[in-house]
Amino acid sequence: MPEPILTRRALLRAGMSGAALSALGGCKVLDGLSAPDHQLRRFMERANDLTKAMQRGVLDRDALAQEFQPADIRQPQRPNGVTDPQDDAYLALKSKDFANYRLQVGGMVHQPLSLSLDQLRAMPVRRQITRHDCVEGWSCIAEWAGVPLAHVLSLARVRIGARYVLFHCFDTIERSLTGAVRYYETIDMVDANHPQTILAWGMNGAALPVPNGAPLRVRVERQLGYKMAKYIRAIELVDGFSDIGRGRGGYWEDRGYEWYAGI
Amino acid sequence: MDTSISPGPLVRRHTRITRITHWTWAICLFFLLLTGLQIFNAHPVLYWGDQSGFDFDNRVLWIGSEDGRGFVELLNRRLSGLGIFGASDGTLRAFPHWATIPSGVDLATGRVIHFFFGWVFLATLLVWFAGAVVAGHLRRDLLMGRAHWSLLGSDLVDHLRFRFRHGRRYGPLQRLSYGLMLFVLFPLMIMTGLAMSPGANAAAPWLPEILGGRQSARTLHFVAAAALSGFFVVHIVMVVLAGPLNEMRAIVTGWYRADAEETHDA
């Protein structure tokens, strides 16, 4: 007697799981997860904390990203996102070939700075041929030249308690009801002080082109491309970013992408 | 040879850990595949090497569209009119909305779900491996001994003739296919996945290196996903042909009705 019950139960389970799977795939049951405040999404996002903890805690947190040979540069660096900012302040600087550009360094520092491109170029230079990985899935190898961010931060003398470097950018990436949304990004002090994290003013042996972020962009070689803010206007040392934008630490982060983009 | 095999006694075929990990993997792979297709759709081109060729050609696969018609370009050979690929329901997208999670274009959410189930998948593999070693599942059920290799050919012929043996233990073909899944495809999936992570790359540059570069790793990740999907189809066909109720009961409750003549030799 027990056998038919077992098989019927098994049949029922098979049927139910089949129906459940086709409902998940075919319909839009899971589309609610697209909402940034969905509780299940919030729960799943904690896997990214685990990823960060593993990469920072278990793997070598000072490891260098792989560097390539000049022969590996086989094409121009593919630009993405905003490639030609139309903001007035930017256009004014661009028309004078960025001669009047000043990088502002402020926030939680003892010594706020205002640096011209010539001053930045006169600082220690690091050149690195690295692979740029876009969150979309593609990769492109280019040579970058710039001053290590750690050097600039040492000149500004970061105050105790500063936890993040916030990059303010010139470019409007989106126009919303409340006005222009400009690109911004944040990285923590581990990445900010990493030797390969540079404020790049040069690319592939020439001045940084406009589509790639002229006059100055950041390279954060162990993370995805969207962390590497282009068209940098100012650097601000902060102890948090919950009051900036939608509070998630960057333009794309505010739109659902993970803050830690090492994966 | 007598083709009618008389049913034997119920045997306890799958341990609890096997059953739990089986269903956890089933759920994980479902989400990983469909969010994987969402992620693929964000840049539906696969390349071979470290980088993506925009000014040179190292494309392996490209699912795109031209004049509103979808095409698949495999190793520079373009095939169009394949129906769902490249364009479906009036939208230009590599894989159709019913094959991706979420159904719309949403890379960010696809990544959140993908990485969550990636971790669950990895954890399940570690739990299964530890359990399988401790319980002797590996040695008893998956290890291919000399006898299994020598019977592999006849077992394959039996399967092709839809003659299935219901033994207490896995047959040679089952051992080989499950072994390939667990020890080749699953680790390859994890390795190629990690090889795409710029953070993991810095800590282990040898990983993308041995796979032929980051973009090669992405291609292999896709190929392994296709192989897993193929395994899934064959797996389901085998379950249906071998007796779906008995097979389903075994993987849900652990109890399996073995063939009479095979029950004593196990």
Side-chain angles (χ1 to χ4, degrees), chain B residues 83-257:
Chain B
I84 56 171
F85 299 110
S88 53
D89 295 335
T91 54
L92 301 179
R93 46 186 293 160
F95 285 99
H97 67 88
W98 51 261
T100 66
I101 291 177
S103 62
V105 176
D106 189 349
L107 173 61
T109 306
R111 283 167 58 84
V112 168
I113 303 172
H114 198 78
F115 298 145
F116 173 81
F117 282 104
W119 275 112
V120 178
F121 179 83
L122 175 63
T124 308
L125 187 61
L126 298 177
V127 167
W128 173 83
F129 186 74
V133 169
V134 171
H137 181 44
L138 284 191
R139 189 170 25 81
R140 200 174 54 231
D141 301 313
L142 291 171
L143 194 76
M144 291 283 285
R146 195 172 294 169
H148 299 113
W149 284 111
S150 63
L151 288 170
L152 187 62
S154 63
D155 195 28
L156 181 64
V157 170
D158 281 349
H159 275 81
L160 292 174
R161 286 182 178 159
F162 295 162
R163 288 171 45 90
F164 300 101
R165 246 181 276 279
H166 302 85
R168 266 178 198 270
R169 306 256 170 262
Y170 295 152
L173 199 56
Q174 280 178 306
R175 285 167 190 261
L176 186 65
S177 50
Y178 295 157
L180 283 175
M181 284 284 292
L182 291 157
F183 293 105
V184 178
L185 269 186
F186 282 11
L188 183 66
M189 217 66 213
I190 292 162
M191 281 175 67
T192 52
L194 278 176
M196 283 186 272
S197 150
N201 281 188
W206 54 267
L207 187 55
E209 198 87 47
I210 60 167
L211 294 165
R214 180 180 190 255
Q215 289 300 319
S216 303
R218 186 166 176 262
T219 298
L220 292 172
H221 199 67
F222 187 88
V223 169
L228 278 172
S229 306
F231 172 88
F232 172 74
V233 171
V234 174
H235 185 55
I236 296 301
V237 168
M238 290 297 121
V239 166
V240 169
L241 291 176
L245 298 185
N246 193 25
E247 300 288 336
M248 210 60 188
R249 173 179 54 196
I251 200 63
V252 172
T253 69
W255 293 99
Y256 185 68
R257 188 168 296 284

Side-chain angles (χ1 to χ4, degrees), chain A residues 12-33:
Chain A
L12 202 63
R13 283 186 197 188
M16 282 193 312
S17 54
L21 286 185
S22 58
L24 291 173
C27 302
K28 295 169 177 161
V29 175
L30 289 159
D31 289 0
L33 288 175

